[in-house]
Amino acid sequence: MSSETVTVQVNPEDLPVDSFTDSDIARITMVKAAELRASGYGKFAQMVSEDLAQNGDYVRQAVKLEDSAEGTFVTDAVITERVRGTSWEVIGEATRMSAAEAEEKWGGNEARWRRASRADNLYRKEPGTYAAAADRYLTSDKPYQFSTGRPLSASLDAAAHLTGRDVAAADHAFAGTSCTHCSH
């Protein structure tokens, strides 16, 4: 028996629909969701860098990206808006709450941010370093892409190689059950 590894590449678009396992489809769904979110965040970063936003745009877009007004990204957007002079009324409208509710929710975060010193906040300590990193991110063709090639498809290829694209065997393998093809 040879110890050589055979690399098999298949274009996923050429595979029949029923050749994808539930695990494959769940992973594909997650990657696509991450890609869409990364793209949205990239567009958000571009909007912020160009500073063309109207009052409330940062918060409106942050809420849209976070799917709610609960995330830390929204909190960061609110602080940015407040530092830029945006009123609590505009922030409340952007987050579908009253100005008083918005101020109650994020006023403490804004106050802590304004009190922070260079020792408390890395961005205040080394703003030039982070500005340069932001520039690299903003000018990159695909800023969220850390690898090249086809990492998801390559892992699907490996699963196909190990299971012979036997969907039931692959589902068992991914469920932690031994794969009949791998026990040799």
Side-chain angles (χ1 to χ4, degrees):
M1 181 172 239
S2 172
S3 63
E4 284 186 37
T5 303
V6 176
T7 302
V8 178
Q9 282 195 1
V10 176
N11 181 347
E13 293 176 325
D14 295 338
L15 293 173
V17 171
D18 62 353
S19 67
F20 291 91
T21 66
D22 285 346
S23 176
D24 294 342
I25 294 167
R27 290 173 53 227
I28 291 164
T29 302
M30 242 359 258
V31 169
K32 188 60 181 175
E35 176 197 1
L36 291 172
R37 180 149 280 166
S39 177
Y41 283 120
K43 290 175 185 171
F44 183 92
Q46 191 69 43
M47 175 185 69
V48 172
S49 73
E50 293 172 0
D51 202 20
L52 300 175
Q54 301 295 312
N55 281 348
D57 283 352
Y58 294 165
V59 173
R60 275 188 282 284
Q61 290 301 314
V63 168
K64 190 172 161 183
L65 287 167
E66 290 282 309
D67 299 324
S68 76
E70 300 303 316
T72 57
F73 189 66
V74 174
T75 299
D76 291 342
V78 167
I79 291 168
T80 302
E81 291 277 8
R82 291 292 299 152
V83 171
R84 296 177 78 222
T86 303
S87 70
W88 286 115
E89 288 78 19
V90 170
I91 292 169
E93 174 270 320
T95 56
R96 295 187 173 108
M97 58 180 68
S98 72
E101 290 170 322
E103 185 173 7
E104 182 178 329
K105 183 174 182 78
W106 292 292
N109 297 93
E110 176 196 1
R112 278 188 294 284
W113 188 91
R114 289 185 186 274
R115 286 192 309 266
S117 69
R118 291 189 192 281
D120 298 333
N121 184 304
L122 288 175
Y123 300 105
R124 288 179 188 262
K125 185 176 183 179
E126 300 178 37
T129 299
Y130 290 102
D135 284 342
R136 284 189 298 277
Y137 171 82
L138 291 163
T139 58
S140 172
D141 184 35
K142 296 215 184 241
Y144 55 86
Q145 184 171 342
F146 297 104
S147 65
T148 59
R150 41 192 300 280
L152 176 63
S153 293
S155 70
L156 295 175
D157 293 343
H161 176 71
L162 290 173
T163 65
R165 199 30 96 188
D166 177 339
V167 172
D171 277 337
H172 286 295
F174 286 117
T177 309
S178 321
C179 171
T180 57
H181 292 78
C182 301
S183 61
H184 300 299

